[in-house]
Amino acid sequence: MKRVQFSSASLPYLYLLPQLAIIVVFFYWPSVQAIQSSFYLEDPFGFGSTFVGLDNYTDVLESSSYGEIARFTVVFTLLVTFLSLSLALLFAVKADAVLKGSSTYKTLLMWVYAIAPPVAGLMGVMFFDMHIGPFLEVARLVGWDFRIGLNYFDTAFAMVVISVWKQIPYNFIFFLSGLQAIPKSLREAGAIDCRSGFRRFWTITLPLLAPTAFFLLIINMTYALFDTFGIIDVVVKDKAANNPITLVYKVYMDGFRGGDLGGSSAQSVILMFVVFVLTIFQFRFIERRVHYN
Amino acid sequence: MATISLETIRKVYAGDVEAVKGVSIDIADGEFIVLVGPSGCGKSTLLRMIAGLEDITSGEARIGEKVVNKVDPADRDIAMVFQNYALYPHMTVYNNLAYGLKNRGTPKAEIERRVKEAARILEIGDYLDRKPRALSGGQRQRVAMGRAIVREPAAFLFDEPLSNLDAKLRVQMRVEIKRLQRELGTTSVYVTHDQLEAMTLADRLVVLNGGNIEQIGAPIEVYQNPASTFVASFIGSPAMNLLKVTAGEVGLALESGSGLSGPNSKGKDRYTLGIRPEHLEVSDGPTDGDGLSLEVTVNVLELVGAESFVYASFADGGPEIVLRVPSHARYTPGETLHLKALAEDVRFFDADTGKLIG
């Protein structure tokens, strides 16, 4: 890293100010507000609030629906992360091996990324729609009476499929550029040392992709936890009822639909804590095994 | 250990680019062959076809008795040393050496024995636990060599392995590669564009130009009797002086008009005359006899230490010629010199094809 000498001691802070201002206004301030209001019982019509201590937290953690939604969130996050990472890696490896017309393949695989999550959700909902959805034709062939929005499992299935579909291009771009950064001579040395392409992939390609994969793991978990909000919102059509939802969606429903600002704040503080722990875990235990060049 | 034989090997890339145009070489068991030529001559492509990293468009490649055209690189029983070493960055030196053996199901004790042995020969025993990024260029080069040695393959393939090293290390490693190859007696094919490397390492040189073989032969043979003007100008530094002459009634004439006297090529009146810089000698005046005799003006004197090079030109312009003189000799630019050379040191090349005559 290059060291730069500043003429005045305050100048570097001045340069950092815009970034710091954004973080303070859009992260620290709302976080502090959330923590604060999680200790209060808020009047839904804004006529003042009462301090209730940890009541909001105990209410949240004791409710059975919260536990169920938390379980679904864990399963959903793991599924979406695993599937979108592994499928994207598969596509990237295959696209990397294509010689003729490779740019066409790459473009086709990438452009889904340009679609906004709610639009992706809408397209998915139409794909799985009970009246016009083409997927239902396929499901009917194997005797699956697919009912999105009515059947818990079917709705969850659609959510996972749409979320994975939306995230694959992003992962694909990173995996592909990671693959292309592996020197050709290294692959050739591998080809001479190891006959099995599968084994070569596990012992040479994958370890060299590990930094990319680790970065994507964090990004994908965050995506599955938070950024799938738009997709879930479109799938459940703003009324969750008995459909599966994730914790973030519950924060939104309780706070903005249910008017329980205190409870919603408590939930978001819990979520913040979980993500915090998760990130520390990832950096401490997984990054250690990652080889950086 | 094995012979390698190539039979009219061709390589045509997409878009009808013919990189190798029907090359045939028979390499004896234990022989050190150097493929040398300017960039784009097809030497690396040829090596990569032997390794199996490029498909052979037509022709037949055999390692030992086996035709290997369609054989997987890993099954050809060859080991390759790459220009940028191509060490696995995420593995320790030990694992870099052991990787190829592990994948072939070599017993653990045997792997350990071979790695230790290679480490001893190459003096890399102290770095076995390190990752390649913690090694210097020379050490990486040794590890790359070690990776080839532990495999105990039928043949070593070297793709310009020394070109990323600094000058001093390059000379050191050059000597070491030669010694190692002698000791192990493994058939080796070595690609380089450095003619000094080629001269010092090779049992036999293969000079390539534009996808064709210009000459195959022992280095000294190639040096003394280059098969063409291309080889004459590529092998040797400074290169052989080449003078295009026409035989007249009295002596020879250059295209620029300057005259000189020299030996006649049998039966041709136009030809290219070649003379190595060290065979030209400064004389007191024009000499008679059947040797070469010419008069030039000094342009530059280049002192390189053990010897000096004089660059000189003819009165009417024409090609610049080089001669090798002792380091104590002093010539000043503008000075006129009479040069002579023995008839037996002069080579003749066909004026049109550039091929050696006689």
Side-chain angles (χ1 to χ4, degrees):
Chain A
M1 201 77 70
K2 211 171 140 186
R3 277 176 172 277
V4 180
Q5 212 64 52
F6 289 103
S7 52
S8 138
S10 57
L11 197 58
Y13 297 100
L14 197 66
Y15 286 140
L16 285 175
L17 197 62
Q19 180 72 39
L20 288 174
I22 288 170
I23 294 175
V24 168
V25 171
F26 291 101
F27 182 70
Y28 288 112
W29 191 20
S31 303
V32 169
Q33 288 252 303
I35 293 170
Q36 194 189 7
S37 57
S38 70
F39 296 112
Y40 286 86
L41 186 63
E42 204 95 22
D43 182 282
F45 301 104
F47 297 123
S49 52
T50 331
F51 183 79
V52 292
L54 290 172
D55 279 5
N56 285 328
Y57 289 92
T58 48
D59 280 358
V60 164
L61 294 174
E62 275 166 10
S63 92
S64 65
S65 73
Y66 190 80
E68 193 194 316
I69 290 168
R71 266 194 300 281
F72 175 75
T73 307
V74 169
V75 173
F76 176 81
T77 304
L78 290 179
L79 270 178
V80 169
T81 304
F82 174 75
L83 289 174
S84 53
L85 280 176
S86 51
L87 287 173
L89 181 60
L90 179 73
F91 290 151
V93 168
K94 291 298 171 197
D96 189 42
V98 171
L99 296 173
K100 272 184 192 158
S102 58
S103 58
T104 314
Y105 279 104
K106 287 168 195 166
T107 313
L108 284 174
L109 281 161
M110 276 179 209
W111 71 12
V112 174
Y113 185 58
I115 300 169
V119 179
L122 196 64
M123 287 167 73
V125 166
M126 287 169 78
F127 184 71
F128 290 110
D129 188 89
M130 279 199 284
H131 307 291
I132 57 165
F135 176 78
L136 268 71
E137 307 280 336
V138 182
R140 216 166 283 141
L141 286 180
V142 294
W144 181 4
D145 183 20
F146 191 90
R147 276 132 55 98
I148 188 172
L150 293 175
N151 181 301
Y152 184 90
F153 177 82
D154 292 353
T155 313
F157 178 85
M159 277 177 185
V160 170
V161 169
I162 299 165
S163 303
V164 168
W165 175 70
K166 173 76 184 76
Q167 187 63 4
I168 283 175
Y170 183 86
N171 297 344
F172 172 79
I173 293 168
F174 278 91
F175 275 134
L176 188 66
S177 64
L179 282 171
Q180 286 171 344
I182 297 175
K184 193 172 157 228
S185 62
L186 213 56
R187 295 169 181 228
E188 291 175 344
I192 291 173
D193 273 345
C194 180
R195 190 180 199 290
S196 150
F198 185 72
R199 210 180 137 77
R200 240 167 22 231
F201 177 79
W202 283 102
T203 51
I204 298 175
T205 313
L206 207 58
L208 293 177
L209 273 183
T212 310
F214 174 68
F215 162 76
L216 286 177
L217 178 72
I218 294 175
I219 295 291
N220 277 262
M221 287 202 128
T222 319
Y223 163 79
L225 276 174
F226 301 114
D227 297 350
T228 48
F229 179 90
I231 292 169
I232 292 166
D233 189 47
V234 175
V235 170
V236 301
K237 302 198 168 72
D238 203 21
K239 290 178 220 33
N242 289 325
N243 285 313
I245 54 169
T246 60
L247 289 174
V248 168
Y249 201 73
K250 185 168 165 59
V251 169
Y252 162 77
M253 283 213 317
D254 289 356
F256 295 91
R257 287 284 167 268
D260 178 13
L261 281 181
S264 160
S265 294
Q267 288 177 32
S268 66
V269 171
I270 292 172
L271 210 51
M272 209 150 64
F273 181 73
V274 167
V275 172
F276 183 67
V277 171
L278 203 64
T279 310
I280 289 177
F281 173 81
Q282 283 172 328
F283 273 97
R284 276 193 68 103
F285 294 100
I286 301 180
E287 201 194 15
R288 256 196 219 163
R289 303 167 154 270
V290 172
H291 162 84
Y292 288 101
N293 266 327
Chain B
M1 257 133 273
T3 58
I4 298 176
S5 94
L6 307 177
E7 218 179 286
T8 51
I9 295 280
R10 283 175 72 242
K11 176 72 194 182
V12 182
Y13 285 109
D16 283 341
V17 183
E18 199 174 2
V20 177
K21 303 170 181 167
V23 165
S24 301
I25 314 170
D26 278 306
I27 302 170
D29 186 12
E31 198 175 15
F32 200 125
I33 287 281
V34 174
L35 306 177
V36 66
S39 53
C41 72
K43 55 187 190 300
S44 277
T45 310
L46 194 58
L47 187 81
R48 294 165 56 79
M49 285 194 284
I50 300 174
L53 301 173
E54 301 268 1
D55 289 332
I56 297 170
T57 309
S58 72
E60 202 173 83
R62 274 193 299 272
I63 298 176
E65 295 302 306
K66 197 164 117 194
V67 177
V68 294
N69 283 38
K70 297 286 172 207
V71 176
D72 194 89
D75 295 337
R76 293 192 182 196
D77 200 14
I78 47 98
M80 189 154 166
V81 180
F82 292 85
Q83 181 175 354
N84 60 1
Y85 321 132
L87 302 178
Y88 309 120
H90 58 294
M91 296 183 197
T92 60
V93 169
Y94 184 95
N95 286 330
N96 261 284
L97 298 189
Y99 183 69
L101 295 172
K102 274 183 198 160
N103 292 321
R104 286 175 174 78
T106 313
K108 222 170 172 179
E110 173 69 5
I111 294 178
E112 176 141 0
R113 189 191 64 76
R114 289 204 206 173
V115 171
K116 289 277 155 64
E117 175 66 7
R120 191 188 57 77
I121 295 173
L122 292 163
E123 296 164 13
I124 50 173
D126 295 343
Y127 320 127
L128 287 177
D129 295 331
R130 289 202 202 160
K131 295 266 176 75
R133 65 167 178 268
L135 302 179
S136 70
Q139 290 165 342
R140 286 180 202 186
Q141 174 60 50
R142 281 162 191 274
V143 176
M145 290 285 302
R147 195 166 63 181
I149 292 174
V150 291
R151 291 263 324 281
E152 298 177 1
F156 291 140
L157 306 177
F158 298 92
D159 190 5
E160 309 211 15
L162 303 183
S163 51
N164 281 3
L165 297 177
D166 61 55
K168 197 180 155 199
L169 260 176
R170 200 179 307 170
V171 175
Q172 193 188 329
M173 285 305 292
R174 194 171 76 204
V175 174
E176 212 158 312
I177 288 177
K178 183 72 183 169
R179 179 182 60 80
L180 214 60
Q181 197 269 343
R182 282 254 166 78
E183 280 176 21
L184 301 169
T186 309
T187 313
S188 300
V189 184
Y190 188 107
V191 161
T192 183
H193 63 264
D194 181 341
Q195 53 96 18
L196 193 63
E197 251 173 50
M199 290 291 290
T200 50
L201 285 170
D203 291 332
R204 272 196 303 161
L205 269 185
V206 178
V207 185
L208 288 160
N209 181 27
N212 287 310
I213 293 184
E214 287 275 336
Q215 189 171 10
I216 304 182
I220 196 69
E221 168 65 19
V222 172
Y223 185 79
Q224 286 175 344
N225 295 308
S228 64
T229 49
F230 173 82
V231 179
S233 56
F234 192 77
I235 300 292
S237 173
M240 187 183 247
N241 293 298
L242 296 169
L243 305 171
K244 281 188 175 168
V245 295
T246 310
E249 300 201 346
V250 274
L252 310 169
L254 286 166
E255 276 168 350
S256 59
S258 294
L260 59 147
S261 75
N264 244 317
S265 164
K266 311 110 200 170
K268 302 240 181 182
D269 14 312
R270 274 176 65 247
Y271 51 89
T272 302
L273 194 150
I275 181 80
R276 289 279 175 200
E278 62 271 30
H279 291 144
L280 283 169
E281 216 182 310
V282 179
S283 64
D284 304 330
T287 47
D288 294 330
D290 58 354
L292 187 68
S293 172
L294 42 96
E295 191 185 306
V296 291
T297 312
V298 175
N299 294 335
V300 183
L301 178 69
E302 207 177 52
L303 303 167
V304 292
E307 61 202 354
S308 298
F309 300 116
V310 176
Y311 293 83
S313 55
F314 291 93
D316 300 324
E320 192 173 56
I321 65 164
V322 190
L323 65 148
R324 202 180 281 248
V325 296
S327 60
H328 57 79
R330 288 289 177 271
Y331 299 102
T332 45
E335 192 179 339
T336 302
L337 292 180
H338 292 283
L339 304 178
K340 61 173 183 179
L342 298 174
E344 66 198 62
D345 291 329
V346 177
R347 299 288 174 268
F348 304 101
F349 301 96
D350 190 284
D352 303 313
T353 62
K355 297 288 176 217
L356 187 72
I357 303 171

